[in-house]
Amino acid sequence: MSDNIERIKLANNKYAEEFGNKSDLEIPPARRLAVLTCMDARLEPMKFLGLELGDAHIIRNAGGRASDDAIRSLVISTTLLGTNEWLVIHHSECGMERFTQEEMGKLLKERLNTIEGEFVNWLSISDRIESVKHDAMHIRNHPLVSKEIKISGYLFNTKTGELQEVITL
Amino acid sequence: MSDNIERIKLANNKYAEEFGNKSDLEIPPARRLAVLTCMDARLEPMKFLGLELGDAHIIRNAGGRASDDAIRSLVISTTLLGTNEWLVIHHSECGMERFTQEEMGKLLKERLNTIEGEFVNWLSISDRIESVKHDAMHIRNHPLVSKEIKISGYLFNTKTGELQEVITL
C-alpha cells in the first residue's frame, strides 16, 4: 500500500465516524447550481463560493474547460437533477497557460514513445479572459443546452482569493 | 443578479479577506496525487480523503467516469505537474445509475426538440463495482498513460462516508 493510500484510509475512517447527518442530503443540488472549474490543487471551489455540501454539482478538469465531457456532465446536471444556473470559473497562474498543443505532443512522444498525444486537443489556454468567454459562449450555444439556464463566467485569482466577473449570458 | 450570484459574491469577499498564506501554495500537487470522482453535490473528496489544499488535483464529472476528457486532465496532471498516483472513485446512490442511454436521448428530444442527445455517450452506470473496475483498467491501458503511475479504484458510500477498495492496478 502506498503512503498516500495508507494516510487516506486512516483519514477516511475518521471521516466516516463523524459522518452524521450528511447521509440525509438530497441528490438534486439544493441551490440548483453547477460549477465548472479547474482541477488545480490550490482551488477549493465550495469554499471560495461559500457553498455548503449538497448545494451544487462541481465539475472539474484541466483548465475548467467546456469540453464535450464537461457539457455531458452539465446536461445531465440539469436534465436529471434540475440545476438551472451554471458557473464557468478559470483562474490565474493556471498550468494550462504554460504549454502549447505542440509542446504537449512532443513531451509525450519523448516520454512514452507514442505519437497519440498529437491527436488530442489539450485545450491549453493563451488568454484567460478569452478562455472564460469562449467556454461560457460555447456552452450557451450548444444544441443540448436549454436557453433557460443562466450561465456566467469568472476568473479566480490564486493570489488574492477573489472572483472576477467576466461574462453573464 | 441572481440570488445565487449575490450570495456567492458576499461569500467570496469574506473568503478573499481571510485568504492569507494560501497564495504561497505551489502549483504541482504536494502529494503527487490526482483524484477522479463524481460531480455529485454530496461529495467532498478533499475531506473524505483527508487531503489538504494543495495536495491533489481533483477531477470531477458526471459519474467520475474515465472519459477522454478525464484522461486529458490526468495526462496533463502527470506530464506537466508530476502526479504519480491516481484514484478513481465512484459512489453509491449515483444519479448515473438512474437512467439509460436511450432514456437520456428521449428526454432531450422531448425537452429541447433535438436528436443530438442520441449521439452522445452519456456514460450511465449499471453496476458500480464494474464501472470502477472498467474505468481504472481503461486508464491503465491507455496509450498516453505511463505504466509507472499507480492507479486504484474505490467506491464511496454516501450513507456512511466510507471508502471501499475495489481495484489496485
Side-chain angles (χ1 to χ4, degrees):
Chain A
M1 202 186 325
S2 76
D3 282 0
N4 274 326
I5 299 295
E6 204 162 329
R7 289 172 68 172
I8 282 168
K9 285 190 174 177
L10 286 172
N12 179 254
N13 286 343
K14 194 154 173 288
Y15 180 83
E17 274 171 27
E18 297 163 0
F19 196 64
N21 58 8
K22 288 177 184 174
S23 63
D24 297 338
L25 290 169
E26 304 284 339
I27 299 185
R31 286 216 213 165
R32 305 188 70 182
L33 200 62
V35 177
L36 169 60
T37 193
C38 184
M39 68 180 178
D40 191 296
R42 300 164 301 164
L43 302 190
E44 42 187 2
M46 299 284 290
K47 287 192 186 166
F48 71 62
L49 297 169
L51 299 174
E52 302 289 332
L53 196 64
D55 276 351
H57 284 142
I58 308 286
I59 300 156
R60 300 178 68 174
N61 63 31
R65 303 305 312 265
S67 59
D68 286 351
D69 193 55
I71 289 171
R72 174 185 70 87
S73 299
L74 288 166
V75 173
I76 288 171
S77 171
T78 186
T79 308
L80 299 172
L81 294 160
T83 62
N84 60 13
E85 181 158 22
W86 297 346
L87 274 54
V88 178
I89 308 175
H90 297 177
H91 66 98
S92 62
E93 290 189 297
C94 186
M96 300 300 288
E97 293 172 336
R98 302 186 167 203
F99 69 97
T100 62
Q101 182 68 21
E102 291 67 33
E103 285 162 353
M104 191 68 185
K106 214 175 144 191
L107 267 177
L108 287 163
K109 197 173 172 189
E110 284 166 13
R111 295 196 194 170
L112 300 177
N113 196 27
T114 172
I115 59 162
E116 291 292 324
E118 292 169 22
F119 303 104
V120 174
N121 185 347
W122 296 100
L123 304 176
S124 64
I125 292 173
S126 59
D127 178 323
R128 62 183 81 135
I129 295 274
E130 285 309 312
S131 70
V132 171
K133 283 186 189 167
H134 173 278
D135 283 8
M137 290 195 298
H138 179 58
I139 295 168
R140 174 78 295 159
N141 295 322
H142 195 281
L144 289 173
V145 173
S146 160
K147 300 303 171 211
E148 289 169 20
I149 291 167
K150 296 185 277 287
I151 297 171
S152 50
Y154 297 83
L155 277 174
F156 177 78
N157 185 322
T158 55
K159 285 298 169 206
T160 65
E162 287 168 308
L163 271 182
Q164 174 193 343
E165 198 170 338
V166 175
I167 190 168
T168 298
L169 294 169
Chain B
M1 203 186 324
S2 76
D3 281 1
N4 274 326
I5 299 295
E6 205 163 328
R7 290 172 69 172
I8 283 169
K9 285 190 174 178
L10 286 172
N12 179 253
N13 286 344
K14 195 154 173 287
Y15 180 83
E17 274 171 27
E18 298 163 0
F19 195 64
N21 58 9
K22 288 178 185 174
S23 62
D24 297 337
L25 290 171
E26 303 285 338
I27 300 184
R31 287 216 213 164
R32 305 187 71 183
L33 200 62
V35 177
L36 168 60
T37 194
C38 185
M39 67 180 180
D40 191 297
R42 299 164 300 164
L43 302 189
E44 43 188 1
M46 300 286 288
K47 288 192 187 167
F48 72 62
L49 297 169
L51 299 173
E52 301 289 332
L53 197 64
D55 276 349
H57 285 142
I58 308 286
I59 300 156
R60 300 178 67 174
N61 64 30
R65 303 305 313 264
S67 60
D68 286 351
D69 193 56
I71 289 172
R72 174 185 71 86
S73 300
L74 289 166
V75 172
I76 288 171
S77 171
T78 185
T79 307
L80 299 171
L81 294 161
T83 61
N84 60 13
E85 182 158 19
W86 297 346
L87 274 55
V88 178
I89 308 175
H90 297 176
H91 66 98
S92 61
E93 288 190 299
C94 186
M96 300 301 286
E97 295 173 335
R98 302 187 169 202
F99 69 97
T100 63
Q101 183 67 21
E102 291 67 33
E103 284 163 351
M104 192 67 185
K106 213 175 146 192
L107 268 176
L108 287 163
K109 197 173 173 190
E110 284 166 13
R111 295 196 194 169
L112 300 176
N113 195 27
T114 172
I115 58 162
E116 291 292 324
E118 292 170 23
F119 303 103
V120 174
N121 185 346
W122 297 100
L123 303 176
S124 64
I125 292 174
S126 58
D127 178 324
R128 62 182 82 135
I129 295 274
E130 285 309 311
S131 71
V132 171
K133 284 187 188 167
H134 173 279
D135 284 8
M137 291 195 296
H138 179 57
I139 296 168
R140 173 79 295 161
N141 295 321
H142 196 281
L144 289 173
V145 173
S146 159
K147 300 302 170 212
E148 288 167 21
I149 291 165
K150 296 185 276 288
I151 297 170
S152 49
Y154 297 83
L155 277 174
F156 177 78
N157 185 322
T158 55
K159 284 299 168 205
T160 65
E162 286 168 308
L163 271 182
Q164 173 193 344
E165 199 171 338
V166 175
I167 189 168
T168 298
L169 294 169

